Amino acid sequence: AQSVSQHNHHVILSEAASLELGCNYSYGGTVNLFWYVQYPGQHLQLLLKYFSGDPLVKGIKGFEAEFIKSKFSFNLRKPSVQWSDTAEYFCAVSLYSGGGADGLTFGKGTHLIIQP
Amino acid sequence: AAGVIQSPRHLIKEKRETATLKCYPIPRHDTVYWYQQGPGQDPQFLISFYEKMQSDKGSIPDRFSAQQFSDYHSELNMSSLELGDSALYFCASSLAEGSSYEQYFGPGTRLTVT
């Protein structure tokens, strides 16, 4: 079974600092990769996704992620964070089966706190 | 834009009772997924349905069952509830056509078992 590892469980940054959250997955086949954000008390929202093509993907709110196949990694980045980015961030993987109904495997999440 | 609707939003049950959670996918979406998120935990995939057929199965307990109906809404039935079933239950939907793998999540149902 595939697994997802997020290296940083808690990250505290000041506003305008740069952000990089690590995500590694274990699966030798073709995967679809996602980053979701969960603001306090809210549901999961998709930040960005990678299915194929350009390994550098851009998402909403200025976030981007780079898929490095050789490292089984899909790290999330943002050049300058804002206080409103305070949230829980989840990396997730689904297997490419062509059917589109495979469940996501989530990492444990990274709790990001941005200090004003 | 219309989003995934879940009902009820909050549910309190006692041990050994049953509960039914409902999920209404985004219009035209034909695939539904159920996830369980315990306090401070990552979401755990339970089960998914495509065109009313079970598509993928995760860590769903035998006490739980689910189905998808002809209008694509789905229900998660939970019996013999245990304290450990207290969690946030998310439903997500997607459209299989066009190889879209984006899952859109609903607001969740918070189940408390006392």
Side-chain angles (χ1 to χ4, degrees), chain A residues 4-114:
Chain A
V4 179
S5 175
Q6 292 182 238
H7 314 302
N8 315 99
H9 297 298
H10 296 275
V11 174
I12 300 175
L13 294 172
S14 298
E15 276 194 313
S18 64
L19 169 72
E20 181 160 2
L21 301 182
C23 172
N24 286 90
Y25 66 94
S26 64
Y27 182 70
T30 302
V31 296
N32 303 310
L33 297 158
F34 308 84
W35 275 97
Y36 282 87
V37 61
Q38 188 174 30
Y39 298 103
Q42 296 191 27
H43 61 285
L44 291 157
Q45 297 177 40
L46 181 66
L47 272 179
L48 46 76
K49 61 187 184 291
Y50 174 80
F51 298 152
S52 63
D54 188 344
L56 183 62
V57 293
K58 295 189 183 300
I60 61 172
K61 304 179 188 241
F63 286 91
E64 64 179 32
E66 184 175 13
F67 170 54
I68 303 179
K69 189 175 181 179
S70 60
K71 296 184 178 180
F72 297 89
S73 70
F74 190 55
N75 292 352
L76 181 70
R77 299 194 291 250
K78 186 171 184 178
S80 176
V81 295
Q82 301 171 311
W83 177 81
S84 58
D85 292 326
T86 295
E88 191 82 18
Y89 291 80
F90 291 98
C91 181
V93 166
S94 71
L95 301 181
Y96 177 78
S97 67
D102 293 322
L104 296 172
T105 298
F106 286 87
K108 294 297 182 185
T110 296
H111 187 52
L112 175 65
I113 297 174
I114 306 300

Side-chain angles (χ1 to χ4, degrees), chain A residues 32 34 36 38 41-46 49 51 90 94-104 106-109, chain B residues 31 33 35 37 41-45 48-50 55-56 88 90 94 96 99-108:
Chain A
N32 303 310
F34 308 84
Y36 282 87
Q38 188 174 30
Q42 296 191 27
H43 61 285
L44 291 157
Q45 297 177 40
L46 181 66
K49 61 187 184 291
F51 298 152
F90 291 98
S94 71
L95 301 181
Y96 177 78
S97 67
D102 293 322
L104 296 172
F106 286 87
K108 294 297 182 185
Chain B
T31 307
Y33 312 76
Y35 293 85
Q37 185 178 28
Q41 302 294 314
D42 55 298
Q44 294 290 316
F45 170 66
S48 64
F49 291 87
Y50 166 64
S55 180
D56 192 15
L88 195 55
F90 287 111
S94 70
S99 300
S100 172
Y101 301 104
E102 290 185 36
Q103 295 184 27
Y104 295 84
F105 283 78

